[in-house]
PDB file of all heavy atoms in Angstrom:
ATOM      1  N   VAL A 225     -52.536 -56.680 -12.785  1.00 85.00           N
ATOM      2  CA  VAL A 225     -53.305 -55.475 -13.057  1.00 85.00           C
ATOM      3  C   VAL A 225     -53.754 -54.859 -11.719  1.00 85.00           C
ATOM      4  O   VAL A 225     -54.476 -55.498 -10.945  1.00 85.00           O
ATOM      5  CB  VAL A 225     -54.533 -55.786 -13.910  1.00 85.00           C
ATOM      6  CG1 VAL A 225     -55.342 -54.508 -14.170  1.00 85.00           C
ATOM      7  CG2 VAL A 225     -54.090 -56.407 -15.238  1.00 85.00           C
ATOM      8  N   ILE A 226     -53.273 -53.664 -11.448  1.00 83.00           N
ATOM      9  CA  ILE A 226     -53.606 -52.947 -10.214  1.00 83.00           C
ATOM     10  C   ILE A 226     -54.790 -52.033 -10.483  1.00 83.00           C
ATOM     11  O   ILE A 226     -54.700 -51.139 -11.331  1.00 83.00           O
ATOM     12  CB  ILE A 226     -52.401 -52.130  -9.694  1.00 83.00           C
ATOM     13  CG1 ILE A 226     -51.232 -53.073  -9.340  1.00 83.00           C
ATOM     14  CG2 ILE A 226     -52.788 -51.278  -8.493  1.00 83.00           C
ATOM     15  CD1 ILE A 226     -49.972 -52.346  -8.908  1.00 83.00           C
ATOM     16  N   ASN A 227     -55.870 -52.256  -9.773  1.00 80.00           N
ATOM     17  CA  ASN A 227     -57.078 -51.461  -9.958  1.00 80.00           C
ATOM     18  C   ASN A 227     -56.977 -50.131  -9.263  1.00 80.00           C
ATOM     19  O   ASN A 227     -57.634 -49.831  -8.282  1.00 80.00           O
ATOM     20  CB  ASN A 227     -58.299 -52.262  -9.434  1.00 80.00           C
ATOM     21  CG  ASN A 227     -59.611 -51.543  -9.733  1.00 80.00           C
ATOM     22  OD1 ASN A 227     -59.645 -50.681 -10.593  1.00 80.00           O
ATOM     23  ND2 ASN A 227     -60.666 -51.940  -9.037  1.00 80.00           N
ATOM     24  N   HIS A 228     -56.077 -49.293  -9.829  1.00 83.00           N
ATOM     25  CA  HIS A 228     -55.852 -47.958  -9.263  1.00 83.00           C
ATOM     26  C   HIS A 228     -55.074 -47.118 -10.267  1.00 83.00           C
ATOM     27  O   HIS A 228     -54.630 -47.653 -11.307  1.00 83.00           O
ATOM     28  CB  HIS A 228     -55.078 -48.049  -7.941  1.00 83.00           C
ATOM     29  CG  HIS A 228     -55.518 -47.063  -6.921  1.00 83.00           C
ATOM     30  ND1 HIS A 228     -55.640 -45.703  -7.183  1.00 83.00           N
ATOM     31  CD2 HIS A 228     -55.895 -47.224  -5.620  1.00 83.00           C
ATOM     32  CE1 HIS A 228     -56.056 -45.089  -6.077  1.00 83.00           C
ATOM     33  NE2 HIS A 228     -56.236 -45.984  -5.123  1.00 83.00           N
ATOM     34  N   PHE A 229     -54.937 -45.805  -9.992  1.00 86.00           N
ATOM     35  CA  PHE A 229     -54.109 -44.978 -10.873  1.00 86.00           C
ATOM     36  C   PHE A 229     -52.732 -44.732 -10.300  1.00 86.00           C
ATOM     37  O   PHE A 229     -51.925 -44.037 -10.912  1.00 86.00           O
ATOM     38  CB  PHE A 229     -54.831 -43.633 -11.159  1.00 86.00           C
ATOM     39  CG  PHE A 229     -55.091 -42.791  -9.941  1.00 86.00           C
ATOM     40  CD1 PHE A 229     -54.143 -41.869  -9.497  1.00 86.00           C
ATOM     41  CD2 PHE A 229     -56.290 -42.887  -9.261  1.00 86.00           C
ATOM     42  CE1 PHE A 229     -54.373 -41.074  -8.374  1.00 86.00           C
ATOM     43  CE2 PHE A 229     -56.535 -42.090  -8.140  1.00 86.00           C
ATOM     44  CZ  PHE A 229     -55.568 -41.203  -7.694  1.00 86.00           C
ATOM     45  N   PHE A 230     -52.436 -45.328  -9.151  1.00 87.00           N
ATOM     46  CA  PHE A 230     -51.062 -45.358  -8.636  1.00 87.00           C
ATOM     47  C   PHE A 230     -50.907 -46.618  -7.815  1.00 87.00           C
ATOM     48  O   PHE A 230     -51.885 -47.349  -7.581  1.00 87.00           O
ATOM     49  CB  PHE A 230     -50.734 -44.093  -7.804  1.00 87.00           C
ATOM     50  CG  PHE A 230     -51.266 -44.123  -6.405  1.00 87.00           C
ATOM     51  CD1 PHE A 230     -50.442 -44.455  -5.340  1.00 87.00           C
ATOM     52  CD2 PHE A 230     -52.595 -43.805  -6.119  1.00 87.00           C
ATOM     53  CE1 PHE A 230     -50.924 -44.474  -4.041  1.00 87.00           C
ATOM     54  CE2 PHE A 230     -53.083 -43.827  -4.839  1.00 87.00           C
ATOM     55  CZ  PHE A 230     -52.247 -44.163  -3.790  1.00 87.00           C
ATOM     56  N   CYS A 231     -49.691 -46.939  -7.385  1.00 87.00           N
ATOM     57  CA  CYS A 231     -49.420 -48.184  -6.693  1.00 87.00           C
ATOM     58  C   CYS A 231     -49.833 -48.088  -5.221  1.00 87.00           C
ATOM     59  O   CYS A 231     -49.018 -47.823  -4.330  1.00 87.00           O
ATOM     60  CB  CYS A 231     -47.946 -48.552  -6.815  1.00 87.00           C
ATOM     61  SG  CYS A 231     -47.438 -48.984  -8.477  1.00 87.00           S
ATOM     62  N   ASP A 232     -51.115 -48.291  -4.982  1.00 83.00           N
ATOM     63  CA  ASP A 232     -51.663 -48.281  -3.633  1.00 83.00           C
ATOM     64  C   ASP A 232     -51.379 -49.621  -2.958  1.00 83.00           C
ATOM     65  O   ASP A 232     -51.211 -50.643  -3.640  1.00 83.00           O
ATOM     66  CB  ASP A 232     -53.150 -48.010  -3.691  1.00 83.00           C
ATOM     67  CG  ASP A 232     -53.724 -47.647  -2.335  1.00 83.00           C
ATOM     68  OD1 ASP A 232     -52.977 -47.519  -1.369  1.00 83.00           O
ATOM     69  OD2 ASP A 232     -54.956 -47.468  -2.251  1.00 83.00           O
ATOM     70  N   ILE A 233     -51.354 -49.621  -1.628  1.00 82.00           N
ATOM     71  CA  ILE A 233     -51.046 -50.837  -0.897  1.00 82.00           C
ATOM     72  C   ILE A 233     -52.129 -51.897  -1.069  1.00 82.00           C
ATOM     73  O   ILE A 233     -51.870 -53.048  -1.357  1.00 82.00           O
ATOM     74  CB  ILE A 233     -50.833 -50.519   0.592  1.00 82.00           C
ATOM     75  CG1 ILE A 233     -49.542 -49.737   0.812  1.00 82.00           C
ATOM     76  CG2 ILE A 233     -50.787 -51.817   1.414  1.00 82.00           C
ATOM     77  CD1 ILE A 233     -49.297 -49.339   2.252  1.00 82.00           C
ATOM     78  N   ALA A 234     -53.394 -51.499  -0.886  1.00 78.00           N
ATOM     79  CA  ALA A 234     -54.489 -52.482  -0.848  1.00 78.00           C
ATOM     80  C   ALA A 234     -54.632 -53.265  -2.170  1.00 78.00           C
ATOM     81  O   ALA A 234     -54.656 -54.494  -2.133  1.00 78.00           O
ATOM     82  CB  ALA A 234     -55.809 -51.767  -0.489  1.00 78.00           C
ATOM     83  N   PRO A 235     -54.728 -52.599  -3.338  1.00 78.00           N
ATOM     84  CA  PRO A 235     -54.853 -53.394  -4.565  1.00 78.00           C
ATOM     85  C   PRO A 235     -53.615 -54.193  -4.903  1.00 78.00           C
ATOM     86  O   PRO A 235     -53.694 -55.240  -5.562  1.00 78.00           O
ATOM     87  CB  PRO A 235     -55.166 -52.346  -5.655  1.00 78.00           C
ATOM     88  CG  PRO A 235     -54.685 -51.066  -5.076  1.00 78.00           C
ATOM     89  CD  PRO A 235     -54.868 -51.157  -3.599  1.00 78.00           C
ATOM     90  N   TRP A 236     -52.441 -53.707  -4.431  1.00 82.00           N
ATOM     91  CA  TRP A 236     -51.198 -54.477  -4.668  1.00 82.00           C
ATOM     92  C   TRP A 236     -51.231 -55.768  -3.843  1.00 82.00           C
ATOM     93  O   TRP A 236     -50.910 -56.849  -4.356  1.00 82.00           O
ATOM     94  CB  TRP A 236     -50.000 -53.620  -4.293  1.00 82.00           C
ATOM     95  CG  TRP A 236     -48.697 -54.122  -4.829  1.00 82.00           C
ATOM     96  CD1 TRP A 236     -48.515 -55.252  -5.586  1.00 82.00           C
ATOM     97  CD2 TRP A 236     -47.415 -53.553  -4.656  1.00 82.00           C
ATOM     98  NE1 TRP A 236     -47.177 -55.393  -5.881  1.00 82.00           N
ATOM     99  CE2 TRP A 236     -46.481 -54.367  -5.324  1.00 82.00           C
ATOM    100  CE3 TRP A 236     -46.934 -52.419  -3.995  1.00 82.00           C
ATOM    101  CZ2 TRP A 236     -45.124 -54.107  -5.363  1.00 82.00           C
ATOM    102  CZ3 TRP A 236     -45.579 -52.148  -4.035  1.00 82.00           C
ATOM    103  CH2 TRP A 236     -44.682 -52.973  -4.710  1.00 82.00           C
ATOM    104  N   ILE A 237     -51.637 -55.652  -2.589  1.00 82.00           N
ATOM    105  CA  ILE A 237     -51.744 -56.851  -1.748  1.00 82.00           C
ATOM    106  C   ILE A 237     -52.773 -57.832  -2.326  1.00 82.00           C
ATOM    107  O   ILE A 237     -52.574 -59.050  -2.256  1.00 82.00           O
ATOM    108  CB  ILE A 237     -52.117 -56.434  -0.315  1.00 82.00           C
ATOM    109  CG1 ILE A 237     -50.948 -55.716   0.355  1.00 82.00           C
ATOM    110  CG2 ILE A 237     -52.534 -57.651   0.511  1.00 82.00           C
ATOM    111  CD1 ILE A 237     -51.277 -55.191   1.738  1.00 82.00           C
ATOM    112  N   ALA A 238     -53.836 -57.300  -2.900  1.00 80.00           N
ATOM    113  CA  ALA A 238     -54.908 -58.147  -3.425  1.00 80.00           C
ATOM    114  C   ALA A 238     -54.423 -59.025  -4.564  1.00 80.00           C
ATOM    115  O   ALA A 238     -55.023 -60.082  -4.852  1.00 80.00           O
ATOM    116  CB  ALA A 238     -56.087 -57.287  -3.882  1.00 80.00           C
ATOM    117  N   LEU A 239     -53.324 -58.641  -5.247  1.00 83.00           N
ATOM    118  CA  LEU A 239     -52.809 -59.435  -6.379  1.00 83.00           C
ATOM    119  C   LEU A 239     -51.912 -60.566  -5.921  1.00 83.00           C
ATOM    120  O   LEU A 239     -51.592 -61.445  -6.710  1.00 83.00           O
ATOM    121  CB  LEU A 239     -52.034 -58.506  -7.322  1.00 83.00           C
ATOM    122  CG  LEU A 239     -52.806 -57.411  -8.042  1.00 83.00           C
ATOM    123  CD1 LEU A 239     -51.843 -56.595  -8.896  1.00 83.00           C
ATOM    124  CD2 LEU A 239     -53.916 -57.994  -8.900  1.00 83.00           C
ATOM    125  N   SER A 240     -51.431 -60.525  -4.693  1.00 83.00           N
ATOM    126  CA  SER A 240     -50.395 -61.478  -4.273  1.00 83.00           C
ATOM    127  C   SER A 240     -50.993 -62.862  -4.045  1.00 83.00           C
ATOM    128  O   SER A 240     -52.129 -63.034  -3.591  1.00 83.00           O
ATOM    129  CB  SER A 240     -49.746 -60.992  -2.974  1.00 83.00           C
ATOM    130  OG  SER A 240     -48.831 -61.944  -2.501  1.00 83.00           O
ATOM    131  N   CYS A 241     -50.172 -63.870  -4.376  1.00 84.00           N
ATOM    132  CA  CYS A 241     -50.571 -65.240  -4.086  1.00 84.00           C
ATOM    133  C   CYS A 241     -49.905 -65.738  -2.798  1.00 84.00           C
ATOM    134  O   CYS A 241     -50.016 -66.915  -2.441  1.00 84.00           O
ATOM    135  CB  CYS A 241     -50.213 -66.162  -5.250  1.00 84.00           C
ATOM    136  SG  CYS A 241     -48.486 -66.099  -5.726  1.00 84.00           S
ATOM    137  N   SER A 242     -49.172 -64.829  -2.104  1.00 82.00           N
ATOM    138  CA  SER A 242     -48.582 -65.183  -0.801  1.00 82.00           C
ATOM    139  C   SER A 242     -49.603 -64.968   0.310  1.00 82.00           C
ATOM    140  O   SER A 242     -50.677 -64.417   0.079  1.00 82.00           O
ATOM    141  CB  SER A 242     -47.353 -64.293  -0.530  1.00 82.00           C
ATOM    142  OG  SER A 242     -46.433 -64.372  -1.605  1.00 82.00           O
ATOM    143  N   ASP A 243     -49.250 -65.398   1.486  1.00 82.00           N
ATOM    144  CA  ASP A 243     -50.067 -65.132   2.671  1.00 82.00           C
ATOM    145  C   ASP A 243     -49.866 -63.668   3.041  1.00 82.00           C
ATOM    146  O   ASP A 243     -48.763 -63.259   3.403  1.00 82.00           O
ATOM    147  CB  ASP A 243     -49.634 -66.044   3.839  1.00 82.00           C
ATOM    148  CG  ASP A 243     -50.547 -65.900   5.043  1.00 82.00           C
ATOM    149  OD1 ASP A 243     -51.416 -65.024   5.047  1.00 82.00           O
ATOM    150  OD2 ASP A 243     -50.362 -66.692   5.996  1.00 82.00           O
ATOM    151  N   THR A 244     -50.922 -62.889   2.980  1.00 84.00           N
ATOM    152  CA  THR A 244     -50.802 -61.431   3.165  1.00 84.00           C
ATOM    153  C   THR A 244     -51.305 -60.988   4.535  1.00 84.00           C
ATOM    154  O   THR A 244     -51.372 -59.768   4.770  1.00 84.00           O
ATOM    155  CB  THR A 244     -51.591 -60.680   2.080  1.00 84.00           C
ATOM    156  OG1 THR A 244     -52.991 -61.030   2.190  1.00 84.00           O
ATOM    157  CG2 THR A 244     -51.095 -61.037   0.686  1.00 84.00           C
ATOM    158  N   ARG A 245     -51.603 -61.895   5.418  1.00 86.00           N
ATOM    159  CA  ARG A 245     -52.164 -61.492   6.702  1.00 86.00           C
ATOM    160  C   ARG A 245     -51.209 -60.621   7.514  1.00 86.00           C
ATOM    161  O   ARG A 245     -51.634 -59.651   8.137  1.00 86.00           O
ATOM    162  CB  ARG A 245     -52.592 -62.738   7.506  1.00 86.00           C
ATOM    163  CG  ARG A 245     -53.848 -63.416   6.975  1.00 86.00           C
ATOM    164  CD  ARG A 245     -54.166 -64.686   7.733  1.00 86.00           C
ATOM    165  NE  ARG A 245     -53.114 -65.690   7.528  1.00 86.00           N
ATOM    166  CZ  ARG A 245     -53.148 -66.882   8.065  1.00 86.00           C
ATOM    167  NH1 ARG A 245     -54.146 -67.262   8.863  1.00 86.00           N
ATOM    168  NH2 ARG A 245     -52.166 -67.769   7.840  1.00 86.00           N
ATOM    169  N   VAL A 246     -49.920 -60.982   7.526  1.00 89.00           N
ATOM    170  CA  VAL A 246     -48.946 -60.206   8.280  1.00 89.00           C
ATOM    171  C   VAL A 246     -48.806 -58.804   7.673  1.00 89.00           C
ATOM    172  O   VAL A 246     -48.739 -57.803   8.381  1.00 89.00           O
ATOM    173  CB  VAL A 246     -47.579 -60.917   8.281  1.00 89.00           C
ATOM    174  CG1 VAL A 246     -46.536 -60.035   8.951  1.00 89.00           C
ATOM    175  CG2 VAL A 246     -47.690 -62.248   9.018  1.00 89.00           C
ATOM    176  N   VAL A 247     -48.800 -58.729   6.331  1.00 88.00           N
ATOM    177  CA  VAL A 247     -48.662 -57.427   5.657  1.00 88.00           C
ATOM    178  C   VAL A 247     -49.865 -56.550   5.960  1.00 88.00           C
ATOM    179  O   VAL A 247     -49.753 -55.358   6.276  1.00 88.00           O
ATOM    180  CB  VAL A 247     -48.510 -57.639   4.132  1.00 88.00           C
ATOM    181  CG1 VAL A 247     -48.372 -56.277   3.445  1.00 88.00           C
ATOM    182  CG2 VAL A 247     -47.306 -58.506   3.834  1.00 88.00           C
ATOM    183  N   GLU A 248     -51.068 -57.144   5.850  1.00 86.00           N
ATOM    184  CA  GLU A 248     -52.278 -56.373   6.110  1.00 86.00           C
ATOM    185  C   GLU A 248     -52.308 -55.883   7.557  1.00 86.00           C
ATOM    186  O   GLU A 248     -52.682 -54.744   7.845  1.00 86.00           O
ATOM    187  CB  GLU A 248     -53.516 -57.221   5.796  1.00 86.00           C
ATOM    188  CG  GLU A 248     -53.707 -57.465   4.333  1.00 86.00           C
ATOM    189  CD  GLU A 248     -55.058 -58.166   4.060  1.00 86.00           C
ATOM    190  OE1 GLU A 248     -56.064 -57.755   4.664  1.00 86.00           O
ATOM    191  OE2 GLU A 248     -55.086 -59.116   3.261  1.00 86.00           O
TER     192      GLU A 248
END
Side-chain angles (χ1 to χ4, degrees):
V225 179
I226 297 177
N227 186 17
H228 218 308
F229 61 89
F230 80 99
C231 292
D232 194 4
I233 290 178
W236 196 0
I237 290 176
L239 296 178
S240 176
C241 55
S242 306
D243 185 353
T244 62
R245 286 175 296 181
V246 175
V247 180
E248 290 187 43

